[in-house]
Amino acid sequence: MLLCVGNFFGSTSETEWAEYRTGAKKAPIPTYVLGANDQETVSYFPDVSGCELAENITYLGRRGLYSGTSGLQIAYLSGTESQDEPAPAYSFSAKDVAELKTSLLSTPNFKGVDILLTSPWPRDVGTFANSTGEIDTKKCGSKLVSDLAASLKPRYHFAALEKAYYERLPYRNHTVLQETPQHVSRFIALADVGNTSKKKYLYAFSIVPMSLMDPAELVKQPQDVTENPYRKSRKEAQKTKAPLCAEEEPACQFFFDLNKHQGKKRPSDGKERGNSQPKQAKKPPQPTGPCWFCLASPEVEKHLVVSIGTHCYLALAKGGLLPDHVLILPIGHYQSVVDLSSEVVEEVTKYKSALKEFFRSKGKRYVLFERNYRSQHLQLQVIPVPLDHCTSEDIKESFIVQAQEQQIELLEIPEHSDITQV
């Protein structure tokens, strides 16, 4: 079957369309279209609740659910967003979206739909995602469509109207560790047919209806899955306001160089990133085997997880040096701090501040190190030590003594240098 999103009729469709309406030409496969997006094409759609326009060409209607004989469920919403009630004939309103949501969500055991068709993009679809190119999803697209997509949890959501091709990374429909896993959603925007820039306007795929799938297969999470772009951003972690205590000396940082012949610059833990170039977000690489630290992985020890952010999470160490030894870990599969994008580094920094405040309230400070030796998934180890027992100098001294005993050469890093320089 062929599904059409966006404007099915152009300004010059009249003569061409007459051939289909009279039967001189016939669509080769069943074709389903959305309604008008502007006043000039409203006349092509005689019945708002949907009808056959020509042989093999069906107008789905203003809004609703189309169920195929195979059990495939296609939700659709025609037109563009309107703030007015009643909305013009080529638009939908908040009331249309609310009624469509209610009718579907009230069906018993509703898990989501297979496909959602809308003309406008959903607002904010680019949040947590790969680049949308020229399109600014904070300004364009419809908030009502975002709301609909968040509720209907489509496995595929297709849209057009921005005249650009964009295939978003799949996103989650559940909160990790707090809700049972659900299937992921994929958003795909298509350009206009026959555009001169040769942007993709056709997307071919095969799909097994959700109702026929093995539940475990359906909820499998791909490695590149992201947070849900429409979920309300969690309350800003309370900004740490604690003043620097008198007993706090500047932190020392060491770097153990596995390849000694490399550069002269000495890095830090990425704490001071103000003047470095922001890295482009890149997909985390796939783990080569089972990974104990990938949050989506069945191997992760969920009872040890303390807190989950957008890009990172906090967990107790499985074989901790102390009972309150914690780890800061990225949710995605990154090997080292130097592979992280600036937004992940920013969240790591927030976790470090929160831990600093927490341990200080217990009369402690922490030593932090990155374990990056024959390990696949970045782990920042956070080890608390009593504030009144050891100064920075004591801690530094013990590292140096241990390193000499183990015949390891430690190099001290100048403050405010960046680990990505090495």
Side-chain angles (χ1 to χ4, degrees):
M1 68 201 300
L2 173 65
L3 305 171
C4 301
V5 287
N7 294 314
F8 185 65
F9 293 99
S11 51
T12 57
S13 295
E14 197 49 58
T15 46
E16 195 185 349
W17 178 237
E19 296 184 271
Y20 286 92
R21 220 178 35 236
T22 57
K25 277 188 177 174
K26 180 186 156 185
I29 56 170
T31 300
Y32 296 87
V33 308
L34 292 178
N37 288 307
D38 51 44
Q39 189 57 55
E40 64 176 333
T41 54
V42 168
S43 56
Y44 287 105
F45 302 96
D47 183 349
V48 290
S49 57
C51 56
E52 189 174 70
L53 300 178
E55 192 181 350
N56 257 356
I57 301 178
T58 305
Y59 164 45
L60 287 165
R62 188 175 178 126
R63 58 161 201 268
L65 181 73
Y66 171 85
S67 294
T69 47
S70 62
L72 189 72
Q73 294 206 305
I74 303 172
Y76 55 87
L77 180 67
S78 287
T80 53
E81 180 179 323
S82 165
Q83 300 302 324
D84 306 325
E85 285 284 3
Y90 54 86
S91 293
F92 56 83
S93 65
K95 188 165 162 249
D96 286 308
V97 170
E99 285 174 10
L100 178 54
K101 273 167 57 175
T102 308
S103 67
L104 288 173
L105 297 177
S106 60
T107 53
N109 302 326
F110 178 77
K111 290 192 180 73
V113 294
D114 291 301
I115 296 170
L116 172 63
L117 305 177
T118 62
S119 287
W121 286 31
R123 177 74 57 89
D124 291 325
V125 68
T127 310
F128 308 131
N130 44 323
S131 165
T132 52
E134 310 282 289
I135 311 295
D136 180 357
T137 62
K138 287 186 172 66
K139 295 190 180 134
C140 81
S142 157
K143 284 184 179 168
L144 289 175
V145 169
S146 304
D147 180 37
L148 186 65
S151 301
L152 299 192
K153 302 172 185 169
R155 290 164 66 202
Y156 285 88
H157 177 184
F158 294 97
L161 289 200
E162 298 299 333
K163 300 187 188 264
Y165 168 68
Y166 173 57
E167 187 169 347
R168 190 198 186 284
L169 290 172
Y171 62 84
R172 285 188 203 97
N173 282 303
H174 64 281
T175 309
V176 181
L177 298 190
Q178 290 174 29
E179 297 168 338
T180 41
Q182 297 178 41
H183 60 270
V184 299
S185 292
R186 290 175 162 83
F187 172 74
I188 293 143
L190 296 168
D192 40 341
V193 174
N195 65 84
T196 49
S197 324
K198 298 197 172 165
K199 291 178 192 158
K200 191 168 173 175
Y201 60 82
L202 193 66
Y203 183 88
F205 72 115
S206 59
I207 183 170
V208 176
M210 199 186 290
S211 53
L212 304 179
M213 285 185 71
D214 170 42
E217 194 62 33
L218 178 65
V219 302
K220 270 195 178 159
Q221 304 291 301
Q223 286 293 343
D224 56 356
V225 67
T226 76
E227 260 326 305
N228 191 309
Y230 315 125
R231 196 152 282 165
K232 300 281 177 286
S233 54
R234 295 182 183 83
K235 282 181 186 166
E236 273 289 309
Q238 287 199 326
K239 306 258 184 302
T240 47
K241 293 179 184 141
L244 196 70
C245 293
E247 68 267 46
E248 182 100 11
E249 313 92 0
C252 299
Q253 299 180 62
F254 293 113
F255 175 67
F256 166 43
D257 193 352
L258 283 166
N259 311 311
K260 286 217 193 80
H261 56 272
Q262 282 191 353
K264 295 279 181 286
K265 288 179 184 166
R266 296 289 164 239
S268 79
D269 67 348
K271 185 178 61 158
E272 294 286 337
R273 292 188 59 87
N275 54 5
S276 64
Q277 288 301 308
K279 291 187 69 171
Q280 282 303 307
K282 47 182 177 181
K283 282 192 207 172
Q286 310 279 350
T288 48
C291 177
W292 286 3
F293 302 107
C294 279
L295 200 47
S297 142
E299 283 81 15
V300 81
E301 305 266 358
K302 294 185 179 169
H303 64 286
L304 295 173
V305 173
V306 178
S307 153
I308 302 172
T310 306
H311 307 287
C312 308
Y313 72 102
L314 203 64
L316 288 168
K318 193 176 177 182
L321 300 178
L322 296 159
D324 46 3
H325 172 176
V326 286
L327 311 178
I328 304 172
L329 304 128
I331 290 172
H333 190 79
Y334 294 95
Q335 189 174 359
S336 160
V337 162
V338 297
D339 294 333
L340 300 179
S341 65
S342 52
E343 54 198 5
V344 188
V345 170
E346 195 180 326
E347 197 171 275
V348 167
T349 309
K350 278 187 185 169
Y351 266 125
K352 292 200 302 201
S353 305
L355 286 171
K356 185 175 185 176
E357 206 172 329
F358 167 71
F359 284 129
R360 190 182 286 132
S361 73
K362 305 284 180 205
K364 300 176 183 180
R365 59 195 298 186
Y366 66 66
V367 175
L368 181 140
F369 63 91
E370 175 184 352
R371 178 178 167 214
N372 187 10
Y373 176 65
R374 293 186 183 167
S375 58
Q376 285 197 334
H377 194 116
L378 163 66
Q379 305 147 54
L380 291 176
Q381 312 278 340
V382 184
I383 316 290
V385 294
L387 252 180
D388 50 357
H389 286 190
C390 32
T391 65
S392 284
E393 282 307 310
D394 296 333
I395 295 168
K396 179 175 172 179
E397 185 61 30
S398 55
F399 267 87
I400 292 169
V401 169
Q402 280 299 316
Q404 284 168 349
E405 282 184 19
Q406 309 292 337
Q407 296 179 323
I408 290 171
E409 186 189 355
L410 283 183
L411 307 160
E412 190 167 351
I413 298 164
E415 216 179 336
H416 310 314
S417 48
D418 191 325
I419 197 155
T420 50
Q421 292 172 330
V422 170

